[in-house]
Amino acid sequence: MTFSDKAIGYYNSLTAPTSLPPEIGVMNPYQSTDVQQIIRLFYNRFYSDTTLRIFVLGINPGRFGAGVTGISFTTPQNLRRYCGIDNDLRDTPELSSRFIYQVIEAFGGAKEFYSRFFLTSLFPLALTKAGKNYNFYDDRATTEALWPAITETVKTQIGFGYDRRAAVCLGRKNETYLRRLNDQQGFFDRIVTLDHPRYILQYKSRDMALYLDQYIRVLADCLPIN
């Protein structure tokens, strides 16, 4: 089976956990037939092979990115503009997606980037609280309730085809949890961490060019030497 075959089967069968605190909501776009079609188109276009990828792991999706399209860090408009995948989903604002696709373009475009990397998250579904984005680590009860699902998410996804020599972690606080997971499971030989795209655009936008350069250097450094 190809990376694409495994990813499509995984995402289009995802179900929301039932053990979360009552005030925490979950968005599962993969129940939509439109998103299921997007998943098939995206993975068949960029991952229809058995090449091992470097994993780039965020926290959990935002409600305007993968919470809508099912594709990590990807809004409907960026799916059209950069990935060539037409869709009828409503355009959404998402800071992280804006930065990530600047990185992807700087790396040579979607085809080149996705041939080497897999963008994903420790938990695959968007979380909300009071109608706003919520991170799995924002309260201890949510973290502990989701920890078995987080473990299973990463364990299943590395089975798509991963290069275990390095993983890229997006977010300094996220690093705490990825390292905890890696200490328990031994998934990756090393973890390198970058500031989260949302943080960069929200608080460090004047230095965006410097962060863009840093991303490219770190990602390139993780690739195997041919």
Side-chain angles (χ1 to χ4, degrees):
M1 294 177 69
T2 65
F3 194 113
S4 177
D5 294 330
K6 296 172 186 177
I8 292 168
Y10 170 74
Y11 283 113
N12 287 345
S13 65
L14 273 176
T15 57
T18 59
S19 58
L20 285 168
E23 69 274 15
I24 306 300
V26 181
M27 297 174 65
N28 186 356
Y30 306 102
Q31 295 176 323
S32 160
T33 54
D34 288 341
V35 171
Q36 290 174 4
Q37 176 65 4
I38 286 169
I39 292 296
R40 285 190 288 270
L41 289 171
F42 179 86
Y43 283 98
N44 282 332
R45 175 166 295 186
F46 298 114
Y47 290 91
S48 191
D49 54 52
T50 56
T51 302
L52 304 182
R53 264 76 172 187
I54 297 291
F55 274 43
V56 183
L57 298 113
I59 306 162
N60 47 261
R63 70 191 191 279
F64 293 138
V68 174
T69 64
I71 305 298
S72 291
F73 293 98
T74 304
T75 57
Q77 61 269 34
N78 284 344
L79 194 61
R80 296 184 208 106
R81 179 178 178 182
Y82 297 106
C83 301
I85 296 176
D86 197 20
N87 63 86
D88 295 322
L89 300 175
R90 180 176 59 86
D91 290 354
T92 54
E94 175 59 75
L95 290 177
S96 295
S97 186
R98 282 173 50 195
F99 182 81
I100 284 294
Y101 274 90
Q102 288 188 51
V103 173
I104 289 172
E105 284 295 284
F107 213 88
K111 184 176 181 180
E112 177 66 20
F113 181 86
Y114 289 125
S115 73
R116 296 167 177 264
F117 299 98
F118 176 50
L119 278 174
T120 187
S121 301
L122 291 189
F123 183 68
L125 300 176
L127 303 175
T128 62
K129 183 176 181 180
K132 297 181 179 180
N133 284 338
Y134 201 69
N135 298 321
F136 74 80
Y137 55 56
D138 283 343
D139 74 86
R140 184 172 180 178
T142 299
T143 304
E144 296 310 313
L146 287 178
W147 197 251
I150 289 169
T151 303
E152 192 60 30
T153 291
V154 179
K155 183 179 294 185
T156 300
Q157 291 188 351
I158 64 175
F160 299 169
Y162 85 121
D163 189 329
R164 66 164 297 128
R165 288 175 289 185
V168 180
C169 177
L170 302 184
R172 301 293 171 180
K173 190 168 182 180
N174 195 36
E175 179 184 15
T176 300
Y177 297 91
L178 180 53
R179 289 195 181 279
R180 170 184 165 186
L181 179 67
N182 204 50
D183 287 345
Q184 293 172 352
Q185 303 293 329
F187 291 142
F188 307 104
D189 293 343
R190 68 184 177 108
I191 294 168
V192 292
T193 302
L194 291 162
D195 286 309
H196 197 279
R198 187 185 309 115
Y199 167 82
I200 294 169
L201 284 190
Q202 190 167 353
Y203 300 108
K204 300 289 185 179
S205 59
R206 290 183 179 179
D207 298 322
M208 192 164 64
L210 295 176
Y211 281 103
L212 183 59
D213 288 343
Q214 182 187 43
Y215 260 67
I216 296 302
R217 288 198 309 272
V218 168
L219 291 170
D221 185 61
C222 290
L223 293 174
I225 299 173
N226 293 328

mmCIF file of all heavy atoms in Angstrom, residues 10 17 19 122-124 141-156 180-181 184-185 187:
data_model
loop_
_atom_site.group_PDB
_atom_site.id
_atom_site.type_symbol
_atom_site.label_atom_id
_atom_site.label_comp_id
_atom_site.label_asym_id
_atom_site.label_seq_id
_atom_site.Cartn_x
_atom_site.Cartn_y
_atom_site.Cartn_z
ATOM 1 N N TYR A 10 -7.229 6.120 6.846
ATOM 2 C CA TYR A 10 -7.203 6.606 8.228
ATOM 3 C C TYR A 10 -8.125 7.809 8.416
ATOM 4 O O TYR A 10 -9.001 7.807 9.284
ATOM 5 C CB TYR A 10 -5.772 6.972 8.613
ATOM 6 C CG TYR A 10 -5.672 7.705 9.929
ATOM 7 C CD1 TYR A 10 -5.838 7.036 11.141
ATOM 8 C CD2 TYR A 10 -5.408 9.072 9.965
ATOM 9 C CE1 TYR A 10 -5.756 7.704 12.342
ATOM 10 C CE2 TYR A 10 -5.317 9.751 11.171
ATOM 11 C CZ TYR A 10 -5.495 9.058 12.354
ATOM 12 O OH TYR A 10 -5.423 9.733 13.552
ATOM 13 N N PRO A 17 -13.538 11.425 19.845
ATOM 14 C CA PRO A 17 -13.530 10.754 21.143
ATOM 15 C C PRO A 17 -14.756 11.131 21.961
ATOM 16 O O PRO A 17 -15.330 12.207 21.782
ATOM 17 C CB PRO A 17 -12.242 11.277 21.797
ATOM 18 C CG PRO A 17 -12.006 12.600 21.151
ATOM 19 C CD PRO A 17 -12.508 12.471 19.740
ATOM 20 N N SER A 19 -14.668 10.863 25.438
ATOM 21 C CA SER A 19 -14.235 10.972 26.836
ATOM 22 C C SER A 19 -13.833 12.386 27.246
ATOM 23 O O SER A 19 -13.286 12.580 28.324
ATOM 24 C CB SER A 19 -13.037 10.043 27.060
ATOM 25 O OG SER A 19 -11.972 10.370 26.167
ATOM 26 N N LEU A 122 -0.455 16.277 16.661
ATOM 27 C CA LEU A 122 -0.487 15.236 17.694
ATOM 28 C C LEU A 122 -1.894 14.686 17.871
ATOM 29 O O LEU A 122 -2.075 13.495 18.123
ATOM 30 C CB LEU A 122 0.036 15.777 19.023
ATOM 31 C CG LEU A 122 1.529 16.093 19.091
ATOM 32 C CD1 LEU A 122 1.948 16.408 20.518
ATOM 33 C CD2 LEU A 122 2.362 14.945 18.570
ATOM 34 N N PHE A 123 -2.899 15.568 17.757
ATOM 35 C CA PHE A 123 -4.287 15.105 17.764
ATOM 36 C C PHE A 123 -4.932 15.582 16.474
ATOM 37 O O PHE A 123 -4.788 16.751 16.106
ATOM 38 C CB PHE A 123 -5.048 15.638 18.983
ATOM 39 C CG PHE A 123 -6.461 15.132 19.058
ATOM 40 C CD1 PHE A 123 -6.720 13.800 19.318
ATOM 41 C CD2 PHE A 123 -7.531 15.991 18.837
ATOM 42 C CE1 PHE A 123 -8.020 13.317 19.349
ATOM 43 C CE2 PHE A 123 -8.833 15.525 18.882
ATOM 44 C CZ PHE A 123 -9.081 14.188 19.144
ATOM 45 N N PRO A 124 -5.657 14.734 15.738
ATOM 46 C CA PRO A 124 -6.027 15.058 14.353
ATOM 47 C C PRO A 124 -7.288 15.881 14.160
ATOM 48 O O PRO A 124 -7.579 16.298 13.037
ATOM 49 C CB PRO A 124 -6.215 13.671 13.730
ATOM 50 C CG PRO A 124 -6.726 12.832 14.869
ATOM 51 C CD PRO A 124 -5.987 13.337 16.077
ATOM 52 N N ALA A 141 -7.286 17.982 32.295
ATOM 53 C CA ALA A 141 -8.303 16.945 32.075
ATOM 54 C C ALA A 141 -8.406 16.588 30.595
ATOM 55 O O ALA A 141 -8.520 15.407 30.238
ATOM 56 C CB ALA A 141 -9.657 17.416 32.616
ATOM 57 N N THR A 142 -8.353 17.613 29.735
ATOM 58 C CA THR A 142 -8.420 17.351 28.293
ATOM 59 C C THR A 142 -7.180 16.609 27.823
ATOM 60 O O THR A 142 -7.258 15.665 27.032
ATOM 61 C CB THR A 142 -8.584 18.674 27.521
ATOM 62 O OG1 THR A 142 -9.801 19.301 27.924
ATOM 63 C CG2 THR A 142 -8.617 18.436 26.023
ATOM 64 N N THR A 143 -6.018 17.035 28.312
ATOM 65 C CA THR A 143 -4.763 16.365 27.932
ATOM 66 C C THR A 143 -4.804 14.888 28.283
ATOM 67 O O THR A 143 -4.503 14.028 27.451
ATOM 68 C CB THR A 143 -3.566 17.024 28.634
ATOM 69 O OG1 THR A 143 -3.547 18.416 28.343
ATOM 70 C CG2 THR A 143 -2.258 16.397 28.181
ATOM 71 N N GLU A 144 -5.179 14.596 29.505
ATOM 72 C CA GLU A 144 -5.164 13.210 29.941
ATOM 73 C C GLU A 144 -6.248 12.379 29.254
ATOM 74 O O GLU A 144 -6.030 11.207 28.932
ATOM 75 C CB GLU A 144 -5.316 13.137 31.469
ATOM 76 C CG GLU A 144 -4.155 13.782 32.220
ATOM 77 C CD GLU A 144 -2.781 13.305 31.745
ATOM 78 O OE1 GLU A 144 -2.591 12.076 31.594
ATOM 79 O OE2 GLU A 144 -1.892 14.155 31.496
ATOM 80 N N ALA A 145 -7.402 13.004 28.993
ATOM 81 C CA ALA A 145 -8.464 12.287 28.296
ATOM 82 C C ALA A 145 -8.046 11.914 26.881
ATOM 83 O O ALA A 145 -8.418 10.855 26.369
ATOM 84 C CB ALA A 145 -9.739 13.137 28.271
ATOM 85 N N LEU A 146 -7.262 12.800 26.248
ATOM 86 C CA LEU A 146 -6.865 12.576 24.860
ATOM 87 C C LEU A 146 -5.543 11.837 24.710
ATOM 88 O O LEU A 146 -5.184 11.459 23.590
ATOM 89 C CB LEU A 146 -6.766 13.917 24.124
ATOM 90 C CG LEU A 146 -8.084 14.607 23.791
ATOM 91 C CD1 LEU A 146 -7.821 15.944 23.105
ATOM 92 C CD2 LEU A 146 -8.958 13.724 22.912
ATOM 93 N N TRP A 147 -4.809 11.636 25.780
ATOM 94 C CA TRP A 147 -3.469 11.065 25.641
ATOM 95 C C TRP A 147 -3.460 9.704 24.953
ATOM 96 O O TRP A 147 -2.621 9.469 24.048
ATOM 97 C CB TRP A 147 -2.755 10.992 26.988
ATOM 98 C CG TRP A 147 -1.282 10.806 26.812
ATOM 99 C CD1 TRP A 147 -0.542 9.697 27.077
ATOM 100 C CD2 TRP A 147 -0.358 11.783 26.287
ATOM 101 N NE1 TRP A 147 0.781 9.914 26.768
ATOM 102 C CE2 TRP A 147 0.928 11.182 26.281
ATOM 103 C CE3 TRP A 147 -0.499 13.094 25.843
ATOM 104 C CZ2 TRP A 147 2.062 11.855 25.830
ATOM 105 C CZ3 TRP A 147 0.624 13.766 25.393
ATOM 106 C CH2 TRP A 147 1.885 13.149 25.393
ATOM 107 N N PRO A 148 -4.375 8.778 25.283
ATOM 108 C CA PRO A 148 -4.381 7.513 24.526
ATOM 109 C C PRO A 148 -4.650 7.732 23.038
ATOM 110 O O PRO A 148 -4.038 7.069 22.190
ATOM 111 C CB PRO A 148 -5.515 6.716 25.190
ATOM 112 C CG PRO A 148 -5.620 7.287 26.565
ATOM 113 C CD PRO A 148 -5.329 8.754 26.414
ATOM 114 N N ALA A 149 -5.542 8.676 22.698
ATOM 115 C CA ALA A 149 -5.833 8.957 21.285
ATOM 116 C C ALA A 149 -4.642 9.613 20.603
ATOM 117 O O ALA A 149 -4.359 9.333 19.426
ATOM 118 C CB ALA A 149 -7.064 9.854 21.177
ATOM 119 N N ILE A 150 -3.934 10.497 21.309
ATOM 120 C CA ILE A 150 -2.729 11.124 20.758
ATOM 121 C C ILE A 150 -1.678 10.063 20.463
ATOM 122 O O ILE A 150 -1.066 10.051 19.384
ATOM 123 C CB ILE A 150 -2.195 12.195 21.729
ATOM 124 C CG1 ILE A 150 -3.133 13.412 21.732
ATOM 125 C CG2 ILE A 150 -0.766 12.596 21.379
ATOM 126 C CD1 ILE A 150 -2.834 14.412 22.843
ATOM 127 N N THR A 151 -1.479 9.174 21.406
ATOM 128 C CA THR A 151 -0.508 8.095 21.214
ATOM 129 C C THR A 151 -0.869 7.256 19.993
ATOM 130 O O THR A 151 -0.017 6.948 19.146
ATOM 131 C CB THR A 151 -0.444 7.205 22.467
ATOM 132 O OG1 THR A 151 -0.121 8.004 23.603
ATOM 133 C CG2 THR A 151 0.598 6.109 22.311
ATOM 134 N N GLU A 152 -2.138 6.895 19.890
ATOM 135 C CA GLU A 152 -2.588 6.068 18.778
ATOM 136 C C GLU A 152 -2.523 6.820 17.454
ATOM 137 O O GLU A 152 -2.193 6.229 16.414
ATOM 138 C CB GLU A 152 -4.015 5.580 19.032
ATOM 139 C CG GLU A 152 -4.476 4.486 18.084
ATOM 140 C CD GLU A 152 -3.602 3.231 18.172
ATOM 141 O OE1 GLU A 152 -3.040 2.946 19.253
ATOM 142 O OE2 GLU A 152 -3.468 2.538 17.131
ATOM 143 N N THR A 153 -2.821 8.139 17.489
ATOM 144 C CA THR A 153 -2.746 8.961 16.274
ATOM 145 C C THR A 153 -1.349 8.922 15.678
ATOM 146 O O THR A 153 -1.169 8.661 14.481
ATOM 147 C CB THR A 153 -3.119 10.425 16.593
ATOM 148 O OG1 THR A 153 -4.506 10.492 16.901
ATOM 149 C CG2 THR A 153 -2.814 11.344 15.422
ATOM 150 N N VAL A 154 -0.350 9.195 16.498
ATOM 151 C CA VAL A 154 1.020 9.238 15.983
ATOM 152 C C VAL A 154 1.488 7.841 15.592
ATOM 153 O O VAL A 154 2.123 7.656 14.548
ATOM 154 C CB VAL A 154 1.971 9.886 17.011
ATOM 155 C CG1 VAL A 154 3.402 9.903 16.485
ATOM 156 C CG2 VAL A 154 1.513 11.313 17.339
ATOM 157 N N LYS A 155 1.144 6.851 16.399
ATOM 158 C CA LYS A 155 1.550 5.478 16.096
ATOM 159 C C LYS A 155 0.974 5.027 14.756
ATOM 160 O O LYS A 155 1.669 4.398 13.941
ATOM 161 C CB LYS A 155 1.074 4.539 17.206
ATOM 162 C CG LYS A 155 1.506 3.093 17.026
ATOM 163 C CD LYS A 155 1.009 2.227 18.179
ATOM 164 C CE LYS A 155 1.665 2.605 19.482
ATOM 165 N NZ LYS A 155 1.267 1.682 20.581
ATOM 166 N N THR A 156 -0.279 5.353 14.499
ATOM 167 C CA THR A 156 -0.901 4.962 13.240
ATOM 168 C C THR A 156 -0.303 5.727 12.060
ATOM 169 O O THR A 156 0.010 5.159 11.007
ATOM 170 C CB THR A 156 -2.420 5.220 13.285
ATOM 171 O OG1 THR A 156 -2.983 4.465 14.354
ATOM 172 C CG2 THR A 156 -3.077 4.817 11.966
ATOM 173 N N ARG A 180 7.408 14.071 25.685
ATOM 174 C CA ARG A 180 6.824 13.094 26.617
ATOM 175 C C ARG A 180 6.380 11.849 25.862
ATOM 176 O O ARG A 180 6.663 10.714 26.277
ATOM 177 C CB ARG A 180 5.639 13.730 27.341
ATOM 178 C CG ARG A 180 4.787 12.759 28.157
ATOM 179 C CD ARG A 180 3.581 13.484 28.751
ATOM 180 N NE ARG A 180 2.573 12.564 29.226
ATOM 181 C CZ ARG A 180 1.379 12.922 29.687
ATOM 182 N NH1 ARG A 180 1.050 14.203 29.737
ATOM 183 N NH2 ARG A 180 0.502 12.031 30.102
ATOM 184 N N LEU A 181 5.697 12.054 24.745
ATOM 185 C CA LEU A 181 5.241 10.926 23.936
ATOM 186 C C LEU A 181 6.422 10.126 23.409
ATOM 187 O O LEU A 181 6.412 8.886 23.434
ATOM 188 C CB LEU A 181 4.398 11.448 22.772
ATOM 189 C CG LEU A 181 3.841 10.408 21.803
ATOM 190 C CD1 LEU A 181 2.808 9.526 22.499
ATOM 191 C CD2 LEU A 181 3.216 11.084 20.587
ATOM 192 N N GLN A 184 8.043 7.937 25.911
ATOM 193 C CA GLN A 184 7.236 6.751 26.195
ATOM 194 C C GLN A 184 7.290 5.726 25.059
ATOM 195 O O GLN A 184 7.321 4.519 25.310
ATOM 196 C CB GLN A 184 5.775 7.158 26.435
ATOM 197 C CG GLN A 184 5.545 7.969 27.690
ATOM 198 C CD GLN A 184 4.115 8.508 27.783
ATOM 199 O OE1 GLN A 184 3.322 8.402 26.846
ATOM 200 N NE2 GLN A 184 3.771 9.096 28.924
ATOM 201 N N GLN A 185 7.319 6.221 23.814
ATOM 202 C CA GLN A 185 7.136 5.328 22.673
ATOM 203 C C GLN A 185 8.371 5.147 21.785
ATOM 204 O O GLN A 185 8.434 4.188 21.019
ATOM 205 C CB GLN A 185 5.982 5.848 21.794
ATOM 206 C CG GLN A 185 4.664 5.995 22.522
ATOM 207 C CD GLN A 185 4.080 4.661 22.959
ATOM 208 O OE1 GLN A 185 4.280 3.635 22.305
ATOM 209 N NE2 GLN A 185 3.353 4.656 24.061
ATOM 210 N N PHE A 187 9.396 6.928 19.137
ATOM 211 C CA PHE A 187 9.058 7.042 17.721
ATOM 212 C C PHE A 187 10.186 7.642 16.882
ATOM 213 O O PHE A 187 10.436 7.213 15.764
ATOM 214 C CB PHE A 187 7.811 7.915 17.537
ATOM 215 C CG PHE A 187 6.534 7.300 18.044
ATOM 216 C CD1 PHE A 187 5.574 8.086 18.664
ATOM 217 C CD2 PHE A 187 6.278 5.937 17.904
ATOM 218 C CE1 PHE A 187 4.385 7.538 19.112
ATOM 219 C CE2 PHE A 187 5.093 5.374 18.359
ATOM 220 C CZ PHE A 187 4.143 6.187 18.967
#
